[in-house]
Amino acid sequence: MKVFMIAWKDLKTFLRSRTMVIFSIAMPIIMMLMLGYIFPQNVGKISGKVGFYSQDLLFKATIKVANVSNAIFFNSKEGLIHALAKDEIVVGAVVPKNFTADMALGKAQIDVIPNPANPQAGIMMAQMIPTMAGNSSSSKTKKVKVNLTNVDGSAFNYYDFMAPGIMALVAIMSVANGLAASITRERELGTMDGLMVTPINRGNIVVGKIVAQTVRGLIQAIIVLGISMLFFNVKILGSIWSTILLLILGIFSFIGVGIIITASVKEQETAQIMMTTITFPMMFFSGIFFPVDQMPKFAQYISYIFPLTYAADALRKVITLGVGFSYISTDVIVLLGFAIVSSLVATIGFKKLIQD
Amino acid sequence: MKSKAISVESLKKYYKKVKAVNGISFDVDYGDLFALLGPNGAGKSTTIRVLTTLAAPTSGNVKVAGYDVIREDKKVRQKIGLVSDRLILYDRLTVLENIVFFSKLYNLDKKTIITRAEKLLSLLHIWEWKNTVVSKLSTGMKQKVNIARALIPEPDIIFLDEPMLGLDPEATRTIRNFIAALNKDGKTIILTTHVLYEVELLANKVAIMNKGKIVAIDTPRNLRNHFKREEIVEVETDSPIGDLNFDGEILEKIDNYMKVKVEDLDYFLKELTEMNIKIKNIKTFEPSLEDIFIKITSDEKDGVKS
Ligand SMILES: Nc1ncnc2c1ncn2[C@@H]1O[C@H](COP(=O)(O)OP(=O)(O)OP(=O)(O)O)[C@@H](O)[C@H]1O
Ligand SMILES: [Mg+2]
């Protein structure tokens, strides 16, 4: 109960600062708006396999002619989606029944479902299919219409890729930052002494703070999701509880960093600078704004050391593809590992922190 | 034998190379008002931090309320209250929110807390401010709330680290009287200060610290007597005073009036009577603790230990 008293006190002091509340809400909003418009739409080569679920028997032959060597064929749409979730293919395409016939009539349609972890490939495919199907750039008549869609058939946009990543980023970063700031502030003001001189278990202090910051981080993440849904047509296809659980797992995987920094430097400013030094590269390497698959190899290896990479990936699959935990087991196991190590580090860090 | 409220044996507390406290020993009995006196950086706050389990001693044996500060720190914390050199209050919470929050950590129920808070805050004339956010209070009011916060769990031993720092004379007087009353009620109080006047008024035992060591420890009266080497005397006589032969120094001399600093008052008075001068009025000034304090700490600086 002492944990919740401390958590509630932290939240109450937070809520009393109007600027802090405003910025906590504004930060994710600004981030979403800003980043939504700067995504590069460049076209390159698709690296990875392309999945097809074809209801048209003649389609396979057409593809052969077009010489797409990295194509995999599936017998159902579910098979295609699961392969996307398992990253076996980078993009999936659903070919309707009379595709080849309609092509001759110039009214053929195809649905391309990008892997949310790498929407670039989907966009490229959408651009390549018309060429493959014989659309010449010079002729005005398009023989094939390509729909870039989500699993449920709604139009895919960049926010479908970005929103889950930003949710994870906002939650993880604001909790680690907030925790470091809150501990150092109390230490500098002297109120930490006030807490430590009471007969409570000192562990309650740090756990209480973690609870308070997690609540705040989740609220910020939900703001990101809300904006994405309201303004950018993002839909949660998976379970909201899996989403929250993954966010909490992500938060815990990074908490140790916040605490160990706080324990090793005494001043709030220095702690802040150190936090930024770590979180800034994490933002770019974890594939939040730019797909990890599209990065150079060395950058991909670096991305593996950040728990955010796994959290963002898992969240994308749950939110955009709507799959359950069995498809993100690797991400979840890695995140659990990070969370356990992080909690151990946090415990040791806190012991060091209260030593004087 | 009654157990001691505090017993400190050869306590050392080093911060890397800084010897903040460098081997001190002292006892405090229950009911004492013990003052730790010393210049800036003497190690007073550090001593308080060790006694209140906020800092671990580098070496030495420290017991508070009969419990070891390292092995039984939680039991120690159950018995103590702290007003540290920094305010232990949340700026953005109201007076009552602060008090309720901290007191609940001592397992007090809200009703008890409010009852005690009303009594204490009324005594300190700040009950009417109970729903005000702390950041809007004056320094003096904040300190009163801070003291109330420390007292509501009704600790046996109260640590006050420079409680009157930065307060106006009015607030200082209120708090000083309040501390005296607390002590009269039987609370053991450990007070640090560099204002000697406070000590003379309040304490029944004083330790003077300098550079991490206790350089003198006694009752304020004994300390004064012990260091009484010279006295300042004002005499008024019935006739003008001629040349006198004594060990000392004449500070002022106008006709029948003389102010002198003497090494031996008895000898000086004998001289006067031998000259057949009648004393109409005599006034002696005892050295204040301030004089003693300055003397001790400057002796230390010169390397001359008394
Ligand atoms: N956490 C710390 N880390 C390093 N040095 C410290 C720390 N706390 C205190 N010191 C040093 O220990 C010495 C004693 O400090 P302390 O605060 O105990 O003195 P003080 O008697 O309370 O002085 P003041 O009257 O200024 O409050 C000082 O030299 C101080 O710089
Ligand atoms: Mg001090």
Side-chain angles (χ1 to χ4, degrees), chain A residues 281-304:
Chain A
M282 178 175 82
M283 250 162 70
F284 293 100
F285 279 109
S286 299
I288 305 295
F289 311 121
F290 192 77
V292 171
D293 290 351
Q294 300 286 117
M295 292 179 188
K297 261 281 173 297
F298 85 92
Q300 291 191 19
Y301 289 128
I302 294 175
S303 79
Y304 297 145

PDB file of all heavy atoms in Angstrom, chain A residues 281-304:
ATOM      1  N   PRO A 281      20.044   7.952 -30.094  1.00  0.00           N
ATOM      2  CA  PRO A 281      20.338   6.925 -31.102  1.00  0.00           C
ATOM      3  C   PRO A 281      19.306   5.798 -31.098  1.00  0.00           C
ATOM      4  O   PRO A 281      18.971   5.265 -32.143  1.00  0.00           O
ATOM      5  CB  PRO A 281      21.715   6.394 -30.696  1.00  0.00           C
ATOM      6  CG  PRO A 281      22.059   7.011 -29.417  1.00  0.00           C
ATOM      7  CD  PRO A 281      21.128   8.120 -29.138  1.00  0.00           C
ATOM      8  N   MET A 282      18.795   5.475 -29.918  1.00  0.00           N
ATOM      9  CA  MET A 282      17.804   4.402 -29.828  1.00  0.00           C
ATOM     10  C   MET A 282      16.606   4.716 -30.719  1.00  0.00           C
ATOM     11  O   MET A 282      16.079   3.844 -31.403  1.00  0.00           O
ATOM     12  CB  MET A 282      17.360   4.234 -28.377  1.00  0.00           C
ATOM     13  CG  MET A 282      16.301   3.171 -28.185  1.00  0.00           C
ATOM     14  SD  MET A 282      15.909   2.909 -26.456  1.00  0.00           S
ATOM     15  CE  MET A 282      14.765   4.234 -26.163  1.00  0.00           C
ATOM     16  N   MET A 283      16.205   5.995 -30.728  1.00  0.00           N
ATOM     17  CA  MET A 283      15.074   6.428 -31.528  1.00  0.00           C
ATOM     18  C   MET A 283      15.254   6.059 -32.995  1.00  0.00           C
ATOM     19  O   MET A 283      14.326   5.632 -33.659  1.00  0.00           O
ATOM     20  CB  MET A 283      14.954   7.949 -31.424  1.00  0.00           C
ATOM     21  CG  MET A 283      13.773   8.422 -30.656  1.00  0.00           C
ATOM     22  SD  MET A 283      13.997  10.129 -30.162  1.00  0.00           S
ATOM     23  CE  MET A 283      13.860  10.987 -31.702  1.00  0.00           C
ATOM     24  N   PHE A 284      16.485   6.245 -33.485  1.00  0.00           N
ATOM     25  CA  PHE A 284      16.709   6.039 -34.906  1.00  0.00           C
ATOM     26  C   PHE A 284      17.069   4.608 -35.251  1.00  0.00           C
ATOM     27  O   PHE A 284      16.719   4.110 -36.309  1.00  0.00           O
ATOM     28  CB  PHE A 284      17.791   7.005 -35.403  1.00  0.00           C
ATOM     29  CG  PHE A 284      17.308   8.413 -35.352  1.00  0.00           C
ATOM     30  CD1 PHE A 284      17.677   9.253 -34.314  1.00  0.00           C
ATOM     31  CD2 PHE A 284      16.417   8.882 -36.309  1.00  0.00           C
ATOM     32  CE1 PHE A 284      17.194  10.545 -34.242  1.00  0.00           C
ATOM     33  CE2 PHE A 284      15.927  10.174 -36.245  1.00  0.00           C
ATOM     34  CZ  PHE A 284      16.318  11.006 -35.224  1.00  0.00           C
ATOM     35  N   PHE A 285      17.753   3.944 -34.335  1.00  0.00           N
ATOM     36  CA  PHE A 285      18.189   2.581 -34.638  1.00  0.00           C
ATOM     37  C   PHE A 285      17.083   1.546 -34.439  1.00  0.00           C
ATOM     38  O   PHE A 285      17.188   0.440 -34.938  1.00  0.00           O
ATOM     39  CB  PHE A 285      19.406   2.203 -33.792  1.00  0.00           C
ATOM     40  CG  PHE A 285      20.691   2.736 -34.355  1.00  0.00           C
ATOM     41  CD1 PHE A 285      21.364   3.769 -33.736  1.00  0.00           C
ATOM     42  CD2 PHE A 285      21.218   2.209 -35.527  1.00  0.00           C
ATOM     43  CE1 PHE A 285      22.541   4.277 -34.258  1.00  0.00           C
ATOM     44  CE2 PHE A 285      22.392   2.693 -36.061  1.00  0.00           C
ATOM     45  CZ  PHE A 285      23.060   3.746 -35.426  1.00  0.00           C
ATOM     46  N   SER A 286      16.070   1.892 -33.656  1.00  0.00           N
ATOM     47  CA  SER A 286      15.079   0.872 -33.336  1.00  0.00           C
ATOM     48  C   SER A 286      13.994   0.726 -34.388  1.00  0.00           C
ATOM     49  O   SER A 286      13.003   0.033 -34.172  1.00  0.00           O
ATOM     50  CB  SER A 286      14.441   1.170 -31.981  1.00  0.00           C
ATOM     51  OG  SER A 286      15.437   1.161 -30.996  1.00  0.00           O
ATOM     52  N   GLY A 287      14.171   1.379 -35.517  1.00  0.00           N
ATOM     53  CA  GLY A 287      13.223   1.204 -36.601  1.00  0.00           C
ATOM     54  C   GLY A 287      11.870   1.805 -36.341  1.00  0.00           C
ATOM     55  O   GLY A 287      10.852   1.250 -36.754  1.00  0.00           O
ATOM     56  N   ILE A 288      11.853   2.927 -35.627  1.00  0.00           N
ATOM     57  CA  ILE A 288      10.579   3.582 -35.358  1.00  0.00           C
ATOM     58  C   ILE A 288      10.129   4.370 -36.581  1.00  0.00           C
ATOM     59  O   ILE A 288       8.980   4.332 -36.968  1.00  0.00           O
ATOM     60  CB  ILE A 288      10.708   4.569 -34.167  1.00  0.00           C
ATOM     61  CG1 ILE A 288      11.246   3.877 -32.933  1.00  0.00           C
ATOM     62  CG2 ILE A 288       9.375   5.248 -33.882  1.00  0.00           C
ATOM     63  CD1 ILE A 288      10.338   2.832 -32.384  1.00  0.00           C
ATOM     64  N   PHE A 289      11.059   5.078 -37.180  1.00  0.00           N
ATOM     65  CA  PHE A 289      10.715   5.953 -38.291  1.00  0.00           C
ATOM     66  C   PHE A 289      11.119   5.363 -39.637  1.00  0.00           C
ATOM     67  O   PHE A 289      10.632   5.757 -40.668  1.00  0.00           O
ATOM     68  CB  PHE A 289      11.396   7.313 -38.118  1.00  0.00           C
ATOM     69  CG  PHE A 289      11.198   7.870 -36.756  1.00  0.00           C
ATOM     70  CD1 PHE A 289      12.280   8.162 -35.945  1.00  0.00           C
ATOM     71  CD2 PHE A 289       9.916   8.081 -36.273  1.00  0.00           C
ATOM     72  CE1 PHE A 289      12.086   8.663 -34.686  1.00  0.00           C
ATOM     73  CE2 PHE A 289       9.714   8.584 -35.018  1.00  0.00           C
ATOM     74  CZ  PHE A 289      10.808   8.871 -34.221  1.00  0.00           C
ATOM     75  N   PHE A 290      12.075   4.477 -39.573  1.00  0.00           N
ATOM     76  CA  PHE A 290      12.602   3.907 -40.804  1.00  0.00           C
ATOM     77  C   PHE A 290      12.812   2.415 -40.563  1.00  0.00           C
ATOM     78  O   PHE A 290      13.414   2.034 -39.572  1.00  0.00           O
ATOM     79  CB  PHE A 290      13.934   4.591 -41.135  1.00  0.00           C
ATOM     80  CG  PHE A 290      14.413   4.303 -42.502  1.00  0.00           C
ATOM     81  CD1 PHE A 290      13.850   4.956 -43.603  1.00  0.00           C
ATOM     82  CD2 PHE A 290      15.409   3.370 -42.716  1.00  0.00           C
ATOM     83  CE1 PHE A 290      14.293   4.682 -44.874  1.00  0.00           C
ATOM     84  CE2 PHE A 290      15.856   3.097 -44.001  1.00  0.00           C
ATOM     85  CZ  PHE A 290      15.294   3.752 -45.086  1.00  0.00           C
ATOM     86  N   PRO A 291      12.304   1.569 -41.450  1.00  0.00           N
ATOM     87  CA  PRO A 291      12.331   0.127 -41.171  1.00  0.00           C
ATOM     88  C   PRO A 291      13.737  -0.418 -40.973  1.00  0.00           C
ATOM     89  O   PRO A 291      14.648  -0.072 -41.725  1.00  0.00           O
ATOM     90  CB  PRO A 291      11.713  -0.476 -42.436  1.00  0.00           C
ATOM     91  CG  PRO A 291      10.975   0.621 -43.083  1.00  0.00           C
ATOM     92  CD  PRO A 291      11.651   1.888 -42.712  1.00  0.00           C
ATOM     93  N   VAL A 292      13.878  -1.268 -39.973  1.00  0.00           N
ATOM     94  CA  VAL A 292      15.170  -1.887 -39.704  1.00  0.00           C
ATOM     95  C   VAL A 292      15.656  -2.656 -40.937  1.00  0.00           C
ATOM     96  O   VAL A 292      16.831  -2.612 -41.292  1.00  0.00           O
ATOM     97  CB  VAL A 292      15.070  -2.838 -38.480  1.00  0.00           C
ATOM     98  CG1 VAL A 292      16.338  -3.663 -38.329  1.00  0.00           C
ATOM     99  CG2 VAL A 292      14.799  -2.043 -37.215  1.00  0.00           C
ATOM    100  N   ASP A 293      14.719  -3.330 -41.627  1.00  0.00           N
ATOM    101  CA  ASP A 293      15.083  -4.134 -42.800  1.00  0.00           C
ATOM    102  C   ASP A 293      15.723  -3.307 -43.900  1.00  0.00           C
ATOM    103  O   ASP A 293      16.445  -3.826 -44.739  1.00  0.00           O
ATOM    104  CB  ASP A 293      13.836  -4.812 -43.378  1.00  0.00           C
ATOM    105  CG  ASP A 293      13.343  -5.902 -42.447  1.00  0.00           C
ATOM    106  OD1 ASP A 293      14.074  -6.213 -41.491  1.00  0.00           O
ATOM    107  OD2 ASP A 293      12.235  -6.412 -42.672  1.00  0.00           O
ATOM    108  N   GLN A 294      15.410  -2.018 -43.924  1.00  0.00           N
ATOM    109  CA  GLN A 294      15.935  -1.165 -44.979  1.00  0.00           C
ATOM    110  C   GLN A 294      17.281  -0.546 -44.599  1.00  0.00           C
ATOM    111  O   GLN A 294      17.869   0.176 -45.388  1.00  0.00           O
ATOM    112  CB  GLN A 294      14.953  -0.025 -45.267  1.00  0.00           C
ATOM    113  CG  GLN A 294      13.595  -0.467 -45.720  1.00  0.00           C
ATOM    114  CD  GLN A 294      13.628  -0.966 -47.152  1.00  0.00           C
ATOM    115  OE1 GLN A 294      13.342  -2.131 -47.407  1.00  0.00           O
ATOM    116  NE2 GLN A 294      13.999  -0.112 -48.076  1.00  0.00           N
ATOM    117  N   MET A 295      17.700  -0.804 -43.344  1.00  0.00           N
ATOM    118  CA  MET A 295      18.951  -0.186 -42.889  1.00  0.00           C
ATOM    119  C   MET A 295      20.138  -0.988 -43.378  1.00  0.00           C
ATOM    120  O   MET A 295      20.023  -2.169 -43.681  1.00  0.00           O
ATOM    121  CB  MET A 295      19.004  -0.185 -41.356  1.00  0.00           C
ATOM    122  CG  MET A 295      17.991   0.716 -40.697  1.00  0.00           C
ATOM    123  SD  MET A 295      18.195   0.550 -38.912  1.00  0.00           S
ATOM    124  CE  MET A 295      16.783   1.462 -38.361  1.00  0.00           C
ATOM    125  N   PRO A 296      21.324  -0.346 -43.426  1.00  0.00           N
ATOM    126  CA  PRO A 296      22.536  -1.114 -43.719  1.00  0.00           C
ATOM    127  C   PRO A 296      22.765  -2.166 -42.644  1.00  0.00           C
ATOM    128  O   PRO A 296      22.304  -2.007 -41.506  1.00  0.00           O
ATOM    129  CB  PRO A 296      23.646  -0.066 -43.690  1.00  0.00           C
ATOM    130  CG  PRO A 296      23.006   1.241 -43.419  1.00  0.00           C
ATOM    131  CD  PRO A 296      21.558   1.065 -43.221  1.00  0.00           C
ATOM    132  N   LYS A 297      23.483  -3.218 -43.011  1.00  0.00           N
ATOM    133  CA  LYS A 297      23.671  -4.350 -42.099  1.00  0.00           C
ATOM    134  C   LYS A 297      24.173  -3.943 -40.711  1.00  0.00           C
ATOM    135  O   LYS A 297      23.640  -4.373 -39.685  1.00  0.00           O
ATOM    136  CB  LYS A 297      24.655  -5.370 -42.713  1.00  0.00           C
ATOM    137  CG  LYS A 297      23.952  -6.557 -43.369  1.00  0.00           C
ATOM    138  CD  LYS A 297      23.502  -7.568 -42.318  1.00  0.00           C
ATOM    139  CE  LYS A 297      22.639  -8.697 -42.843  1.00  0.00           C
ATOM    140  NZ  LYS A 297      21.345  -8.370 -43.411  1.00  0.00           N
ATOM    141  N   PHE A 298      25.213  -3.098 -40.655  1.00  0.00           N
ATOM    142  CA  PHE A 298      25.785  -2.745 -39.342  1.00  0.00           C
ATOM    143  C   PHE A 298      24.748  -2.052 -38.465  1.00  0.00           C
ATOM    144  O   PHE A 298      24.657  -2.287 -37.269  1.00  0.00           O
ATOM    145  CB  PHE A 298      27.053  -1.880 -39.504  1.00  0.00           C
ATOM    146  CG  PHE A 298      26.772  -0.409 -39.658  1.00  0.00           C
ATOM    147  CD1 PHE A 298      26.745   0.439 -38.547  1.00  0.00           C
ATOM    148  CD2 PHE A 298      26.531   0.120 -40.910  1.00  0.00           C
ATOM    149  CE1 PHE A 298      26.468   1.788 -38.696  1.00  0.00           C
ATOM    150  CE2 PHE A 298      26.263   1.460 -41.066  1.00  0.00           C
ATOM    151  CZ  PHE A 298      26.226   2.301 -39.966  1.00  0.00           C
ATOM    152  N   ALA A 299      23.914  -1.230 -39.105  1.00  0.00           N
ATOM    153  CA  ALA A 299      22.870  -0.530 -38.347  1.00  0.00           C
ATOM    154  C   ALA A 299      21.840  -1.527 -37.826  1.00  0.00           C
ATOM    155  O   ALA A 299      21.306  -1.376 -36.729  1.00  0.00           O
ATOM    156  CB  ALA A 299      22.199   0.517 -39.219  1.00  0.00           C
ATOM    157  N   GLN A 300      21.601  -2.569 -38.616  1.00  0.00           N
ATOM    158  CA  GLN A 300      20.665  -3.604 -38.168  1.00  0.00           C
ATOM    159  C   GLN A 300      21.196  -4.299 -36.915  1.00  0.00           C
ATOM    160  O   GLN A 300      20.449  -4.567 -35.979  1.00  0.00           O
ATOM    161  CB  GLN A 300      20.438  -4.631 -39.276  1.00  0.00           C
ATOM    162  CG  GLN A 300      19.674  -4.049 -40.448  1.00  0.00           C
ATOM    163  CD  GLN A 300      19.211  -5.118 -41.423  1.00  0.00           C
ATOM    164  OE1 GLN A 300      19.150  -6.294 -41.091  1.00  0.00           O
ATOM    165  NE2 GLN A 300      18.882  -4.688 -42.640  1.00  0.00           N
ATOM    166  N   TYR A 301      22.511  -4.584 -36.926  1.00  0.00           N
ATOM    167  CA  TYR A 301      23.096  -5.233 -35.738  1.00  0.00           C
ATOM    168  C   TYR A 301      22.975  -4.332 -34.513  1.00  0.00           C
ATOM    169  O   TYR A 301      22.656  -4.782 -33.423  1.00  0.00           O
ATOM    170  CB  TYR A 301      24.560  -5.599 -35.984  1.00  0.00           C
ATOM    171  CG  TYR A 301      24.717  -6.739 -36.963  1.00  0.00           C
ATOM    172  CD1 TYR A 301      25.556  -6.644 -38.065  1.00  0.00           C
ATOM    173  CD2 TYR A 301      23.991  -7.926 -36.777  1.00  0.00           C
ATOM    174  CE1 TYR A 301      25.681  -7.682 -38.973  1.00  0.00           C
ATOM    175  CE2 TYR A 301      24.102  -8.970 -37.682  1.00  0.00           C
ATOM    176  CZ  TYR A 301      24.951  -8.848 -38.777  1.00  0.00           C
ATOM    177  OH  TYR A 301      25.051  -9.878 -39.654  1.00  0.00           O
ATOM    178  N   ILE A 302      23.214  -3.029 -34.718  1.00  0.00           N
ATOM    179  CA  ILE A 302      23.096  -2.096 -33.590  1.00  0.00           C
ATOM    180  C   ILE A 302      21.670  -2.090 -33.063  1.00  0.00           C
ATOM    181  O   ILE A 302      21.426  -2.066 -31.857  1.00  0.00           O
ATOM    182  CB  ILE A 302      23.530  -0.668 -34.004  1.00  0.00           C
ATOM    183  CG1 ILE A 302      25.018  -0.662 -34.331  1.00  0.00           C
ATOM    184  CG2 ILE A 302      23.230   0.330 -32.879  1.00  0.00           C
ATOM    185  CD1 ILE A 302      25.534   0.657 -34.869  1.00  0.00           C
ATOM    186  N   SER A 303      20.707  -2.172 -33.986  1.00  0.00           N
ATOM    187  CA  SER A 303      19.307  -2.107 -33.564  1.00  0.00           C
ATOM    188  C   SER A 303      18.947  -3.244 -32.605  1.00  0.00           C
ATOM    189  O   SER A 303      18.061  -3.105 -31.773  1.00  0.00           O
ATOM    190  CB  SER A 303      18.392  -2.124 -34.781  1.00  0.00           C
ATOM    191  OG  SER A 303      18.269  -3.434 -35.269  1.00  0.00           O
ATOM    192  N   TYR A 304      19.654  -4.365 -32.719  1.00  0.00           N
ATOM    193  CA  TYR A 304      19.329  -5.510 -31.854  1.00  0.00           C
ATOM    194  C   TYR A 304      19.612  -5.267 -30.380  1.00  0.00           C
ATOM    195  O   TYR A 304      19.111  -5.975 -29.523  1.00  0.00           O
ATOM    196  CB  TYR A 304      20.099  -6.767 -32.304  1.00  0.00           C
ATOM    197  CG  TYR A 304      19.734  -7.224 -33.692  1.00  0.00           C
ATOM    198  CD1 TYR A 304      20.689  -7.795 -34.531  1.00  0.00           C
ATOM    199  CD2 TYR A 304      18.430  -7.069 -34.179  1.00  0.00           C
ATOM    200  CE1 TYR A 304      20.360  -8.204 -35.819  1.00  0.00           C
ATOM    201  CE2 TYR A 304      18.099  -7.472 -35.466  1.00  0.00           C
ATOM    202  CZ  TYR A 304      19.068  -8.039 -36.278  1.00  0.00           C
ATOM    203  OH  TYR A 304      18.744  -8.429 -37.540  1.00  0.00           O
TER     204      TYR A 304
END
